[in-house]
């Protein structure tokens, strides 16, 4: 079924609010997923991953931190979307010129892309890299002030390269120095900022396709934020409406 | 893979263009953004109905009937075609039989007298059938991204039957009937921005016709008004083909479109703080321009007298059974009489020249010293009418970049200072007092209708609508900041949020509203004495609503476009002067 951006965003917010996420976190998760979907990056797949996800760790200090580097565990909902990790890299880069944060254990690494754009909006260049479970590498860069990123999907690493399994998400922020990436690894897919712009425009015009069964599941989950109606609440809660 | 490093572009900081009005002293948010004052606002000439009407008239929009398949009972399908410069739209309206027992203004209603959609382009036969299958179902239907507005309306049955009756007899209706209830159709929801699959505002804002917020919704409401007039005239003709007459233009103009609004609209202002700031700021800027740049003259003082007289008649004609509102109107009537004396005095003493704003500031000061909030804001609306050249362009400043963004590097000391500067009103609330947390806002499983509950007496407080707890959450945040050891108070915000992630949302909100200080409704919405109707009225005043008639403390009926030019007036000479519509006189009715 075809849905609009705002209604998908509104529903995702309620779904994550219903899962117990706090105000900033359910906003971020929903924004990140819908951004991906509006830009053809399969936000729905990340959404389905998160629906089955129950990070139970506690927020706490980074596993490691110095002035230019930090390692964060994606241990609870506040870190899953990568916003905090990007914010941390941004803040360090503001003072040091360049900084890196590794986000370990993120179940849905693509969600970090939305946060990179916040970074760009604040005037910082940013980059994110990760390796998925199929050993393909994902590379996202965004220029300071840019509204859209550039993205490359690189072929899986050679067997015997020593790389195994999914990697942490590596986030780099840089002030005044544009981050670009060249590679000898075959590029499976390349998207320029203008490609993302065009995808967004098309999604606004045509809407987003969401599987109807999934939509119903989301609607059901969103009901966790609703309160059962009684005759009394119907009569009193919103003001008498009949005449 | 190699990461190349090269000198790049200077990091650019996105800043909004500085308001020229920053040279003007605007009223402070402490004065303006209280719930009570926001709930006392009236329509102004930069309300959305006024803006869209000016646009229609200036651009000569052509609105024609493409289809009018209405049977002798008044049921069927209507399509209006709208041609604007470079764009075409269609408004499709379905009119159905509705059992009176099923007629309800609540958002939980399932059926309505009329359902409609404003669509881009023309509507093919196939598309019409798709709309027919979905539009009358409203929330239960699905729509296309080329559908811009989805709405439904119920008849004001008494008015409807009365007008058909009179016109069928060859007589014009008594306008006093329309003074009591100023419409034939009353909308109970007007959806835009992606609801149920229709176009997102992100798309609509790039159109030429509907770039400004809510302009598409207002236009759809305007066409419902036009349809309601055509419908009663059609039914009168059906009933009495030989004697029926059309409404005369003066009475047609006196018909608006009603709206019934309940708590469904209430959270909007809290959910859209940057947008609220822009609306309020535009209004405050308009007022400041009049007070500091507007040179008084004898013609302008005379015009102000006429506007005061009109406002008094308008209030006398506005009926409400709500005791609180009735007393407010009565008080304003008395105070306007005194204000009139002041204006007369200024006119009598006027020496032919005055410094910019001098006279208006005296009158404004009088209103502050002697008038209720309702009176003060009504007078502000009148003053704005005097200077279209200073005020009207501000309608272009009613849109906002609504993205909230965290400032993760902000030192906690600065965050604390921000809270002290802009949320001192929240810090002073004693949340241990039961009255301060008496209420809770929640969403009901009944079509997600927002409702108010009494904490401790009703279930649902565990699912409290988080955005309605801004005051309490800010205070909690502040206390946590205050509890930090001195050595941690210069840390960046992100370090704090790593440890206290539950504050991410409220911190982002506080930081994002720098420069948007009018955007926070400075009240504790959980207080026992909260009148949700103030939130409704605030938003409706920006729409351009008239005839506020509260039906309880949580829902209200209003009229939109009452007094507005007709479709047939588009393309003719006109005066943009329909603030506070009053009954047409016998002479105007002909």
């Amino acid at each position: 079924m075809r849905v609009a951006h705002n209604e998908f965003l509104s529903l995702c917010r309620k779904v994550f609010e219903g899962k117990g996420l706090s105000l900033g976190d359910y906003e971020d998760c929903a924004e990140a997923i819908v951004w991906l979907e509006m830009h053809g990056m399969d936000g729905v797949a990340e959404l389905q991953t998160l629906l089955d996800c129950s990070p139970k760790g506690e927020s706490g200090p980074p596993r490691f931190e110095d002035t230019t580097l930090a390692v964060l565990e994606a241990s609870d909902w506040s870190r899953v979307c990568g916003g905090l990790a990007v914010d941390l890299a941004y803040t360090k880069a503001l003072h040091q010129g360049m900084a890196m944060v590794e986000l370990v254990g993120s179940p849905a690494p693509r969600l970090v892309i939305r946060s990179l754009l916040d970074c760009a909006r604040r005037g910082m260049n940013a980059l994110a890299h990760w390796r998925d479970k199929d050993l393909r590498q994902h590379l996202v860069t965004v220029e300071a002030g840019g509204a859209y990123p550039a993205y490359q999907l690189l072929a899986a690493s050679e067997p015997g390269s020593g790389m195994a399994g999914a990697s942490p998400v590596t986030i780099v922020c840089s002030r005044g120095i544009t981050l670009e990436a060249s590679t000898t690894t075959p590029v499976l897919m390349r998207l320029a900022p203008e490609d993302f712009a065009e995808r967004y425009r098309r999604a606004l015009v045509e809407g987003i396709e969401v599987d109807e069964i999934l939509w119903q599941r989301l609607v059901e989950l969103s009901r966790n934020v609703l309160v059962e109606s009684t005759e009394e609440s119907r009569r009193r809660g919103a003001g008498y409406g009949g005449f | 893979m190699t990461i190349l490093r090269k000198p790049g572009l200077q990091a650019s900081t996105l800043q909004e263009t500085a308001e020229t009005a920053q040279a003007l002293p605007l009223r402070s948010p402490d004065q303006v953004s209280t719930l009570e004052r926001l709930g006392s606002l009236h329509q102004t000439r930069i309300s959305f109905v006024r803006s869209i009407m000016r646009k229609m008239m200036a651009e000569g929009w052509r609105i024609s009937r493409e289809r009018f398949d209405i049977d002798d009972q008044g049921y069927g399908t209507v399509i209006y075609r709208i041609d604007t410069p470079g764009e075409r739209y269609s408004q499709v309206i379905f009119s159905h039989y509705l059992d009176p027992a099923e007629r309800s203004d609540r958002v939980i209603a399932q059926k309505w007298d009329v359902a409609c959609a404003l669509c881009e382009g023309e509507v093919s036969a196939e598309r019409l059938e798709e709309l027919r299958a979905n539009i009358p179902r409203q929330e239960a239907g699905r729509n296309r991204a080329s559908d811009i507005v989805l709405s439904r309306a119920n008849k004001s049955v008494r008015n409807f039957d009365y007008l058909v009756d009179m016109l069928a007899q060859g007589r014009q209706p008594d306008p006093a009937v329309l003074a009591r209830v100023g419409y034939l159709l009353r909308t109970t929801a007007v959806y835009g921005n992606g609801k149920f699959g229709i176009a997102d505002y992100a798309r609509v804002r790039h159109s030429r016709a509907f770039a400004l917020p809510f302009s598409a919704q207002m236009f759809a409401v305007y066409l419902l008004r036009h349809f309601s007039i055509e419908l009663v005239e059609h039914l009168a003709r059906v009933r009495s083909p030989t004697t029926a007459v059309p409404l005369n233009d003066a009475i047609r103009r006196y018909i608006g479109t009603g709206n019934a609004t309940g708590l469904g609209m209430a959270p909007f202002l809290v959910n859209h703080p940057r947008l609220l700031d822009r609306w309020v700021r535009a209004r405050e800027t308009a007022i400041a321009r009049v007070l500091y740049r507007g040179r008084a003259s004898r013609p302008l003082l005379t015009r102000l007298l006429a506007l005061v007289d009109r406002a008094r008649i308008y209030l006398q004609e506005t009926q409400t059974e709500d005791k609180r509102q009735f007393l407010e109107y009565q008080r304003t009537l008395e105070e306007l009489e005194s204000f009139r004396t002041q204006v007369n005095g200024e006119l009598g003493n006027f020496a032919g020249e005055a410094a910019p704003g001098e006279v208006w500031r005296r009158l404004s000061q009088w209103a502050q010293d002697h008038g209720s909030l309702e009176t003060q804001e009504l007078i502000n609306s009148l003053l704005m009418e005097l200077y279209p050249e200073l005020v009207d362009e501000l309608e272009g400043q009613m849109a906002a970049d609504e993205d909230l963004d965290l400032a993760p590097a902000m030192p906690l000391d600065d965050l604390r200072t921000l809270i002290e500067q802009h949320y001192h009103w929240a810090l002073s609330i004693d949340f241990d007092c039961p009255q301060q947390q008496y209420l809770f806002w929640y969403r009901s499983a009944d079509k997600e209708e927002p409702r108010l509950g009494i904490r401790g007496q009703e279930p649902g407080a565990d699912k409290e609508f988080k955005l309605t707890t801004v005051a309490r959450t800010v205070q909690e945040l502040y206390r946590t900041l205050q509890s930090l050891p001195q050595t941690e108070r210069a840390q960046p915000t992100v370090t704090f949020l790593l440890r206290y992630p539950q504050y991410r949302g409220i911190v982002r909100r506080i930081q994002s509203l720098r420069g948007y200080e009018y955007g926070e409704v400075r009240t504790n919405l959980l207080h026992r004495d909260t009148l949700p109707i103030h939130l409704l009225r605030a938003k409706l005043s920006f729409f351009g609503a008239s005839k506020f008639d509260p039906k309880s403390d949580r829902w209200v009926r209003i009229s939109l476009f009452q007094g507005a030019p007709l479709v047939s007036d588009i393309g003719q000479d006109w005066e943009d002067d329909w603030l506070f519509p009053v009954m047409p006189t016998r002479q105007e009715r002909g």
Side-chain angles (χ1 to χ4, degrees):
Chain A
M1 64 186 282
R2 201 199 59 77
V3 305
H5 164 265
N6 197 41
E7 73 176 320
F8 190 30
L9 181 64
S10 175
L11 183 61
C12 285
R13 279 190 179 145
K14 283 181 281 197
V15 165
F16 288 108
E17 185 184 354
K19 279 176 84 70
L21 276 66
S22 60
L23 174 62
D25 294 335
Y26 70 69
E27 289 173 331
D28 286 353
C29 277
E31 289 274 356
I33 285 163
V34 175
W35 189 94
L36 287 172
E37 195 58 33
M38 288 291 289
H39 295 81
M41 295 291 284
D42 203 1
V44 166
E46 302 298 73
L47 169 61
Q48 287 175 313
T49 299
L50 290 188
L51 290 180
D52 297 329
C53 183
S54 300
K56 291 241 179 356
E58 298 203 352
S59 51
R63 195 200 280 179
F64 171 83
E65 185 177 13
D66 66 18
T67 55
T68 59
L69 177 63
V71 179
L72 277 186
E73 304 264 6
S75 51
D76 68 9
W77 281 111
S78 70
R79 300 182 183 190
V80 160
C81 293
L84 260 180
V86 172
D87 291 339
L88 188 59
Y90 166 87
T91 302
K92 290 181 184 298
L94 209 57
H95 293 113
Q96 303 297 332
M98 187 173 286
M100 185 165 84
V101 170
E102 284 210 340
L103 181 65
V104 179
S106 171
R110 274 203 297 268
L111 296 177
V112 79
I113 299 177
R114 174 69 180 78
S115 298
L116 294 183
L117 294 176
D118 284 340
C119 211
R121 189 159 61 171
R122 297 170 198 150
M124 187 80 69
N125 302 293
L127 171 154
H129 167 270
W130 67 92
R131 190 178 61 243
D132 62 33
K133 59 179 171 47
D134 299 320
L135 304 187
R136 298 174 308 174
Q137 296 182 74
H138 304 255
L139 182 62
V140 185
T141 57
V142 59
E143 283 190 14
Y148 298 100
Y151 170 79
Q152 293 181 75
L153 175 64
L154 310 180
S157 308
E158 293 293 323
S161 65
M163 297 190 195
S167 75
V169 180
T170 300
I171 298 154
V172 179
C173 288
S174 158
R175 199 175 70 180
I177 297 174
T178 306
L179 302 168
E180 288 190 3
S182 69
T183 176
T184 53
T185 306
V187 176
L188 301 177
M189 180 166 72
R190 197 191 311 266
L191 292 170
E194 44 272 29
D195 296 322
F196 282 103
E198 174 55 24
R199 288 176 169 208
Y200 177 68
R201 188 202 65 76
R202 206 171 332 123
L204 271 187
V205 168
E206 296 170 6
I208 309 168
E209 274 300 320
V210 177
D211 175 74
E212 198 147 347
I213 295 174
L214 173 63
W215 187 262
Q216 289 312 315
R217 182 183 175 200
L218 295 176
V219 168
E220 202 48 48
L221 286 171
S222 75
R223 295 182 70 81
N224 287 332
V225 306
L226 305 179
V227 178
E228 282 311 305
S229 181
T230 64
E231 198 46 54
E232 177 68 9
S233 72
R234 193 174 293 124
R235 188 185 68 78
R236 198 155 56 90
Y240 180 61
F243 189 89
Chain B
M1 182 182 65
T2 310
I3 296 176
L4 299 177
R5 301 174 187 195
K6 66 178 185 183
L9 296 172
Q10 272 292 334
S12 64
T13 307
L14 297 175
Q15 279 186 333
E16 290 191 350
T17 308
E19 269 281 350
T20 55
Q22 283 179 359
L24 292 169
L26 307 188
R27 292 188 295 178
S28 77
D30 279 337
Q31 183 183 5
V32 171
S33 296
T34 64
L35 188 62
E36 292 73 24
R37 187 174 290 273
L38 290 172
S40 303
L41 298 185
H42 293 266
Q43 57 181 277
T44 71
R45 62 182 298 116
I46 54 172
S47 295
F48 304 146
V49 297
R50 300 286 295 272
S51 298
I52 192 66
M53 200 71 241
R54 275 195 293 271
K55 189 174 177 65
M56 282 191 255
M57 299 299 275
E59 295 182 355
W61 289 16
R62 290 201 313 278
I63 298 168
S64 55
R65 229 199 235 185
E66 188 159 295
R67 176 189 288 227
F68 196 87
D69 293 341
I70 298 291
D71 65 20
D72 291 352
Q73 312 303 314
Y75 310 128
T77 304
V78 172
I79 301 179
Y80 291 107
R81 180 166 125 176
I82 306 105
D83 287 300
T84 75
E87 294 171 352
R88 176 168 289 167
Y89 298 89
S90 302
Q91 180 137 333
V92 181
I93 301 173
F94 300 103
S95 170
H96 292 120
Y97 169 73
L98 178 64
D99 186 328
E102 292 181 298
R103 185 172 290 115
S104 167
D105 289 349
R106 296 281 293 272
V107 76
I108 55 178
Q110 301 286 332
K111 295 179 186 175
W112 305 270
D113 286 305
V114 167
C116 74
L118 176 65
C119 310
E120 287 177 357
E122 299 188 8
V123 173
S124 66
E126 185 189 342
R127 180 82 188 105
L128 179 62
E129 292 317 303
E130 206 175 280
L131 290 166
R132 196 190 304 283
N134 284 281
I135 300 305
R137 300 173 64 209
Q138 293 286 294
E139 294 93 345
R142 294 301 306 170
N143 307 284
R144 286 198 194 178
S146 54
D147 303 330
I148 301 171
V149 177
L150 174 71
S151 183
R152 75 288 193 109
N154 286 330
K155 289 176 188 164
S156 168
V157 176
R158 203 160 26 198
N159 273 10
F160 213 89
D161 292 347
Y162 171 70
L163 259 69
V164 171
D165 205 40
M166 294 297 285
L167 294 177
Q169 293 175 44
R171 297 162 60 190
Q172 294 293 319
D174 180 357
V177 171
L178 293 165
R180 274 195 299 276
V181 175
Y183 48 81
L184 296 168
L185 285 178
R186 178 177 63 247
T187 58
T188 63
V190 186
Y191 292 121
N193 196 18
K195 303 257 180 5
F196 317 112
I198 64 178
D200 289 295
Y201 176 59
R203 172 185 168 158
V204 175
R205 64 194 276 232
H206 294 295
S207 72
R208 280 196 57 179
F210 302 121
L212 289 179
F214 291 98
S215 53
Q217 290 93 320
M218 291 302 103
F219 180 75
V221 167
Y222 177 75
L223 270 197
L224 276 176
R225 175 226 206 188
H226 179 66
F227 166 69
S228 71
I229 293 169
E230 297 210 309
L231 186 58
V232 291
E233 292 178 342
H234 164 80
L235 288 171
R237 281 194 301 274
V238 162
R239 185 182 296 185
S240 270
T242 53
T243 59
V245 295
L247 284 164
N248 75 29
D249 278 354
I251 294 186
R252 281 187 180 142
R253 290 188 193 100
Y254 195 51
I255 295 171
T257 304
N259 176 262
T261 295
L263 289 185
M265 185 184 276
F268 180 91
L269 297 186
V270 185
N271 285 343
H272 297 270
R274 286 172 79 141
L275 192 63
L276 175 63
D277 172 271
R278 285 299 174 254
W279 294 359
V280 174
R281 190 175 295 273
R283 186 175 184 278
E284 291 304 307
T285 302
I287 294 166
R289 284 183 178 184
V290 173
L291 295 184
Y292 291 92
R293 293 186 188 160
R295 275 188 199 275
S297 65
R298 297 193 73 83
L300 285 175
L301 281 163
T302 304
R303 172 139 166 79
L304 181 57
L305 277 176
L307 287 170
V308 171
D309 289 341
R310 188 200 298 172
R312 295 197 76 240
I313 297 170
Y314 163 80
L315 287 178
Q316 284 162 350
E317 292 175 353
T318 300
Q319 302 195 12
T320 180
E321 291 170 357
D322 182 81
K323 187 176 176 191
R324 186 195 65 82
Q325 189 63 64
F326 176 78
L327 290 173
E328 287 286 350
Y329 285 152
Q330 291 305 302
R331 181 175 170 184
T332 296
L333 273 169
E334 288 167 16
E335 289 166 353
L336 278 182
E337 186 62 36
S338 303
F339 181 69
R340 196 185 194 289
T341 303
Q342 298 299 309
V343 179
N344 246 333
E346 291 286 349
L347 188 57
N349 294 335
F350 193 71
E353 244 184 69
E358 178 194 342
V359 171
W360 312 127
R361 284 199 301 279
R362 270 201 299 274
L363 289 172
S364 175
Q365 189 61 53
W366 183 94
Q368 281 189 67
D369 294 338
H370 298 94
S372 66
L373 295 183
E374 178 109 22
T375 302
Q376 291 174 35
E377 296 308 328
L378 186 148
I379 289 170
N380 281 331
S381 292
L382 299 183
L383 291 175
M384 287 168 65
E385 284 295 311
L386 302 178
Y387 291 94
E389 69 277 17
L390 293 179
V391 169
D392 288 2
E393 65 165 8
L394 292 166
E395 70 188 12
Q397 296 182 21
M398 307 284 256
D401 169 10
E402 294 206 71
D403 286 337
L404 303 187
D405 192 18
L406 197 74
M410 179 184 282
L412 292 179
D413 272 337
D414 291 0
L415 176 61
R416 206 175 65 247
T417 301
L418 258 188
I419 295 172
E420 290 163 356
Q421 277 175 354
H422 302 301
Y423 289 87
H424 51 86
W425 54 274
L427 300 183
S428 64
I429 298 169
D430 177 10
F431 281 105
D432 290 330
C433 172
Q435 307 287 8
Q436 296 288 358
Q437 296 202 69
Y438 187 80
L439 300 172
F440 67 95
W441 296 69
Y442 65 96
R443 286 150 292 185
S444 162
D446 249 342
K447 273 195 178 188
E448 301 191 25
E449 183 184 56
R451 292 182 185 170
L452 267 177
I454 298 174
R455 202 180 303 272
Q457 295 182 26
E458 300 174 49
D462 57 319
K463 298 184 182 181
E464 187 168 28
F465 211 166
K466 290 182 174 57
L467 278 176
T468 59
T469 66
V470 167
R472 188 180 69 202
T473 311
V474 166
Q475 199 180 99
E476 284 168 9
L477 166 65
Y478 187 77
R479 284 192 183 154
T480 305
L481 291 171
Q482 290 290 80
S483 72
L484 296 176
Q486 199 65 35
T487 49
E488 292 178 20
R489 292 193 184 184
Q491 282 180 352
T493 295
V494 66
T495 304
F496 174 76
L497 291 177
L498 278 168
R499 198 167 141 202
Y500 299 100
Q502 68 270 30
Y503 292 125
R504 183 177 180 83
I506 194 66
V507 168
R508 178 162 57 203
R509 183 183 178 100
I510 293 166
Q511 292 176 333
S512 297
L513 293 189
R514 287 173 294 170
Y516 293 84
E517 286 80 15
Y518 290 113
E520 203 69 83
V521 178
R522 298 188 173 207
T523 198
N524 173 24
L525 291 174
L526 313 180
H527 191 280
R528 181 180 188 146
D529 297 336
T530 294
L531 286 183
I533 200 124
H534 287 324
L535 288 172
L536 311 183
R537 176 156 168 179
K539 187 181 179 190
L540 290 167
S541 73
F542 285 103
F543 283 8
S546 57
K547 303 288 183 82
F548 290 102
D549 178 17
K551 294 303 182 187
S552 77
D553 65 347
R554 50 196 73 174
W555 77 282
V556 65
R557 283 189 176 173
I558 53 102
S559 198
L560 289 164
F561 289 104
Q562 194 174 19
L566 303 167
V567 166
S568 55
D569 292 328
I570 299 175
Q572 314 296 324
D573 290 337
W574 76 302
E575 274 191 63
D576 182 11
D577 177 22
W578 48 286
L579 183 77
F580 300 142
V582 298
M583 269 197 289
T585 62
R586 197 174 289 278
Q587 185 183 16
E588 286 166 332
R589 299 192 317 254

